[in-house]
Amino acid sequence: MAPQASTIYSLQAPKDISLNEIEAELHQIWQSYGITGEDGGLPAATRATTFTLVVYEPEETQYLLATLGFYNGPLDGILGPQMVAALRQVQTKYALPDTGTATPETLAILREEFIKRQGNGATGDNGSIELPSLSLNAPSPRIADEIALRNPCRIIALFPITGEDEGVKAQVSAYCPIQKQSSSTLICCEYITLSGTAAALERIGGMLPALLIGGLPKFLWWKATPDPNNALFKRLAAVCNNVIVDSCRFNEPESDLLHLQDLVESGVPLADLNWRRLSAWQELTAEAYDSPNRRAALGEVDRVTIDYEKGNPAQALLFLGWLASRLGWQPVSYKKETGDYDITRINFIAQDQRQVETELAGVPLADVGEIAGDLIALRLSSTNPKADCGTVICSETGGCMRMETHGGAQSAGLFQQVTSLSEQKAEALLSQQVQRWGRESLFEESLGVTANIFKLETNS
């Protein structure tokens, strides 16, 4: 069950306006509501001056197609040839009119199949993976409620759609989270919503920097496939203090992670919310080798097994990149096998020239979690039976069972368990990310190792 949200006071419901009226309309909102009424019944409302968050979120069609196996292209909100072909494939399969567009009947079928796939009949009560925004006219902008509750700010939501190019539709609204500890003044979040085709949004890209609040931090949350060549992405990344992505939603994790590395090398200050989900695993791994004798044996680790929920290996790859970067391992070979389990074998050379063998296993689960590709368990061990370095870390969902029967020359000397965290959803992680900005060296180093692994396959 989803946690109950705090009360939100609607200062201004979504209001359709023209593009050149945005700032004037927002100014009018604060002129109207900035003073408490004579009866004191309405608290004063002040606009937030914390930061600007730009959110680029394609509507649901491509995500549904990709999740159901019809589409393998980028999640960018663009109705290109690949997406047209995918829509026609769906329409042929379900005996719908062959239009190559996202008709209401096509979307209804895709949503129904998505619900069946994710939860075996689960309904849209947050019991399954959350879809992108389906409506621009919800009672409040769900996309940013978590951020607004913690950090009232200006949010510019860009919604690329895959329908006809009819220009850009603009809306403004304002919402105020009511805080019990301070009910005399409402600190409010203001929203600018712009929807249209990706091409239409790109045409107005030149006006977007003017909507960012000057002198305050600026964040870009790109809820799509990162594309260094996307003109709108490049324009926004150049003026924002932090560019935020979530690799759990990548449709082609390997090529998309390589795109992230390209962005890092070009100087973009990048953050990945999926990287933040690894913090508990990283902390427990480091803690396992805190004692002097175990720390000395850390150099004996030459076998690593990582299990993750089958479907998206991004978390497993980023964790392995982190481990290899900390221990000075250099990748030398990379092989993949697909089947009931998706197996990836990566060999490294340690600084003392020892061979290190690692295995990533995508494990099929009947009940998938909310985050695609979550880690299940990991095992560190050594071919040296005298080395005191064996460690198994697993989730609360029974992930240690396979690790305990995995075999090997050395039994695990230490078992630890990762407690399920309540704040793994993107919105909650984002509310933490916006407290900092700039480049993250540890993430960049880990991503660099991961990119080097992929290049082995490219060069082979």
Side-chain angles (χ1 to χ4, degrees):
M1 180 179 294
Q4 184 174 359
S6 299
T7 303
I8 300 286
Y9 174 72
S10 175
L11 195 65
Q12 171 65 63
K15 179 180 179 180
D16 293 342
I17 59 170
S18 65
L19 291 171
N20 57 11
E21 294 174 335
I22 291 175
E23 287 291 0
E25 185 65 34
L26 288 172
H27 181 72
Q28 180 61 34
I29 292 173
W30 306 115
Q31 287 284 80
S32 302
Y33 294 96
I35 303 174
T36 306
E38 292 182 3
D39 60 357
L42 178 65
T46 63
R47 71 196 304 177
T49 54
T50 49
F51 55 83
T52 302
L53 173 67
V54 182
V55 185
Y56 182 90
E57 181 178 24
E59 46 89 23
E60 62 181 324
T61 308
Q62 283 181 328
Y63 181 72
L64 290 170
L65 290 168
T67 303
L68 297 172
F70 295 103
Y71 177 75
N72 295 315
L75 302 178
D76 53 11
I78 299 174
L79 184 63
Q82 243 184 310
M83 187 176 172
V84 170
L87 287 166
R88 284 188 166 143
Q89 185 181 353
V90 172
Q91 290 161 348
T92 299
K93 179 175 181 179
Y94 294 98
L96 298 173
D98 183 1
T99 65
T101 60
T103 62
E105 296 81 6
T106 306
L107 281 175
I109 286 289
L110 290 173
R111 290 171 186 162
E112 181 182 343
E113 292 301 315
F114 176 87
I115 291 171
K116 289 179 182 177
R117 178 79 61 89
Q118 298 302 331
N120 295 321
T123 57
D125 59 355
N126 292 328
S128 60
I129 294 176
E130 191 173 80
L131 282 170
S133 294
L134 307 185
S135 171
L136 303 184
N137 295 309
S140 65
R142 176 197 56 75
I143 187 177
D145 279 350
E146 289 271 5
I147 301 96
L149 286 172
R150 294 172 171 84
N151 311 280
C153 59
R154 172 177 287 188
I155 295 177
I156 303 172
L158 307 177
F159 288 107
I161 62 174
T162 54
E164 294 294 324
D165 189 343
E166 299 176 350
V168 175
K169 175 184 176 182
Q171 292 180 337
V172 296
S173 56
Y175 296 91
C176 315
I178 298 176
Q179 307 290 354
K180 292 181 180 179
Q181 65 270 25
S182 177
S183 58
S184 61
T185 302
L186 298 177
I187 309 298
C188 304
C189 217
E190 56 190 24
Y191 297 79
I192 302 168
T193 301
L194 303 172
S195 60
T197 64
L201 291 173
E202 185 176 323
R203 287 199 302 270
I204 66 159
M207 66 168 285
L208 294 178
L211 297 177
L212 308 177
I213 302 175
L216 295 178
K218 303 166 184 67
F219 299 91
L220 171 61
W221 187 14
W222 193 261
K223 298 181 73 175
T225 297
D227 181 0
N229 298 315
N230 182 294
L232 184 58
F233 177 87
K234 288 195 291 186
R235 186 188 296 272
L236 292 172
V239 296
C240 288
N241 300 94
N242 209 198
V243 176
I244 303 166
V245 299
D246 192 347
S247 60
C248 88
R249 305 300 285 269
F250 286 176
N251 195 29
E252 300 175 294
E254 294 185 6
S255 61
D256 293 342
L257 287 171
L258 277 172
H259 284 154
L260 292 192
Q261 179 62 17
D262 291 340
L263 292 171
V264 167
E265 291 177 356
S266 68
V268 173
L270 198 66
D272 181 1
L273 300 181
N274 214 22
W275 166 260
R276 308 201 74 80
R277 296 186 181 100
L278 294 172
S279 59
W281 294 88
Q282 293 166 333
E283 289 168 8
L284 285 177
T285 303
E287 182 182 300
Y289 297 96
D290 270 351
S291 62
N293 62 312
R294 300 239 335 144
R295 184 172 302 178
L298 183 58
E300 297 286 345
V301 171
D302 57 14
R303 295 292 182 273
V304 178
T305 304
I306 301 174
D307 285 359
Y308 63 93
E309 291 184 9
K310 184 177 179 179
N312 185 329
Q315 274 193 31
L317 289 162
L318 287 171
F319 181 89
L320 183 60
W322 168 76
L323 185 66
S325 70
R326 296 305 89 196
L327 298 179
W329 298 346
Q330 297 298 321
V332 293
S333 69
Y334 174 55
K335 295 180 180 178
K336 293 188 296 182
E337 303 171 11
T338 57
D340 292 339
Y341 289 74
D342 287 343
I343 302 296
T344 303
R345 291 186 173 87
I346 305 164
N347 290 341
F348 295 84
I349 292 290
Q351 291 177 324
D352 61 1
Q353 301 305 304
R354 288 181 305 110
Q355 297 279 339
V356 179
E357 296 181 2
T358 71
E359 177 186 287
L360 310 184
V363 180
L365 297 179
D367 185 16
V368 296
E370 292 186 6
I371 308 302
D374 260 342
L375 293 195
I376 299 172
L378 63 92
R379 178 188 183 108
L380 282 69
S381 59
S382 174
T383 51
N384 178 4
K386 296 181 180 179
D388 180 19
C389 65
T391 299
V392 170
I393 303 174
C394 59
S395 67
E396 290 181 322
T397 58
C400 278
M401 185 177 298
R402 201 177 87 90
M403 290 297 172
E404 291 170 355
T405 60
H406 192 266
Q410 180 192 38
S411 62
L414 180 65
F415 283 86
Q416 299 195 75
Q417 191 173 71
V418 174
T419 302
S420 296
L421 300 178
S422 61
E423 296 211 336
Q424 292 291 286
K425 287 188 176 180
E427 285 80 0
L429 294 170
L430 181 68
S431 69
Q432 302 167 20
Q433 181 63 44
V434 293
Q435 304 300 324
R436 68 192 76 187
W437 56 87
R439 304 186 67 159
E440 298 185 44
S441 58
L442 188 57
F443 167 66
E444 292 184 1
E445 290 173 15
S446 304
L447 180 63
V449 173
T450 304
N452 287 337
I453 292 170
F454 300 147
K455 291 172 183 176
L456 290 173
E457 184 182 45
T458 303
N459 296 330
S460 61

